[in-house]
Amino acid sequence: MRILLTGGAGYIGSHTAAVLAERGHEPVILDNFANAERDVPARLARLTGREIAVIEADIRDTEQVTAALRTQPVEAVIHFAALKAVGESEADPLRYYDMNIAGTIRLMQAMQAVGVGRIVFSSSATVYGQPESSPILEDAPTRVENIYGRTKLVMEDLIRDLARTGKLAGAANLRYFNPVGAHPSAMIGETPRGVPNNLMPYVTQVATGERAHLNVFGNDYPTRDGTGERDYIHVMDLAEAHALAVEHIAAHDVSVTVNLGTGRGTTVLELVRAFETTTGRKIPLVFAPRRPGDVASYYANPALAERLFGWRARRDVEDMCRDSWRWQASRAGINDV
Ligand code: NAD
Ligand code: UFG
């Protein structure tokens, strides 16, 4: 299939482009490069041995996106483009509503104008808020606790409504747990701007010496060792799930909402120990107060993804640490990996 990837030059989008190309699909990247490096398409071309079409556009520009879809017809869209920082969403709500919700509406208008009726959407486990218990199933109550999360839920509802009313033939809302890792080639990966908010990029920057130590936010949670527990998922597993999801909705014309996680929880201390063992790098840490808004523990029940797509995560925490480190080390010019 020829598939448009909005935000395809970003972290998850670029890995998905690589996997789609490997599976014989033709990814077309649409990105405004607001949060992506310019040379990602060139790196993808080296990695896959194929030129990948790139449209530089903003999803909010319906006219430009419609025109692009007319010259580059596609059978489906995977919609990654969004703003994704929780703190920023609370500081600038209109920007988040505009980029995420208005942007998605504009994109759907362009899709409707050219008759593209299939979409895979990047949602997030953040829609579950503070879950009553884990593992979390897709029918657990949603309770968003910040504006970023609300935009994800509104976009999910919008997509479900369009599918229910026959305006979309197929749709998959994919709720990611905690994506980490990088392509094992270290040719693409995650490049957060400024001080990383998320655990793995912070850990890898401590390992390169860019940051002195890791602040562990809270060691008094009701978990095995008192630190926060999450369901980390390797970005390559996530990318493979997108390929299977788009193939599934194209084959069956269905609308589905599906968790993407491993089903296993890992605490902050467990992840740090795994990183140290896998890479041989020491991560100095300091216990700090809990981070406001953080949940003690959550992890997915990923059974639906297996039942529908035949997918399950194949990579473990050691793979995640090794590949995150390879990427960060290559960026930092460290060659002992
Ligand atoms: P990312 O920032 O690396 O990728 C997003 C891409 O979209 C970037 O390349 C950016 O330049 C592009 N973009 C942003 N606004 C755009 C616009 N208006 N028009 C065109 N392009 C635009 O983020 P990511 O981590 O790859 O996340 C991809 C998606 O997955 C997002 O929707 C995010 O909310 C969701 N998600 C991410 C995580 C995570 O932890 N990384 C977790 C759950 C869900
Ligand atoms: N943590 C630290 N120190 C740090 C960073 C994080 O101890 O420097 C801890 C957190 O307190 C938490 C765990 O590491 O216990 C994971 O934190 P992340 O920030 O990596 O991930 P979150 O689960 O908080 O949130 C991420 C994204 C959200 C998304 C959610 C679910 O940032 O946008 O996963 O997909 F909604």
Side-chain angles (χ1 to χ4, degrees), residues 6-14 30-37 55 57-61 79-85 98-100 103 121-126 148 152 155 174-180 189-191 193 198 235 238 242:
T6 73
Y11 173 44
I12 303 168
S14 59
L30 185 146
D31 206 298
N32 67 357
F33 292 90
N35 196 36
E37 294 185 334
I55 300 160
D58 191 300
I59 51 165
R60 292 167 299 175
D61 187 341
H79 179 28
F80 298 101
L83 298 177
K84 60 169 185 176
D98 180 47
M99 198 72 90
N100 292 0
F121 171 63
S122 296
S123 189
S124 167
T126 198
Y148 166 70
K152 286 290 169 199
M155 292 183 280
L174 303 181
R175 293 175 174 168
Y176 314 157
F177 280 65
N178 287 53
V180 295
E190 184 178 18
T191 316
R193 299 211 163 138
N198 298 122
V235 67
L238 202 54
H242 285 74

Side-chain angles (χ1 to χ4, degrees), residues 288-322:
R290 291 181 179 192
R291 187 170 64 177
D294 268 2
V295 178
S297 166
Y298 66 80
Y299 49 94
N301 179 328
L304 184 62
E306 179 156 18
R307 200 159 67 243
L308 294 178
F309 309 151
W311 171 90
R312 71 157 63 195
R314 296 185 289 133
R315 296 159 180 91
D316 62 16
V317 173
E318 282 70 29
D319 298 320
M320 301 177 206
C321 292
R322 191 195 55 242

Side-chain angles (χ1 to χ4, degrees), residues 117-119 163 168-172 245 248-256 308-309:
R118 297 189 180 105
I119 190 162
L168 283 170
H248 179 81
I249 62 166
H252 303 290
D253 280 347
V254 284
S255 168
V256 295
L308 294 178
F309 309 151

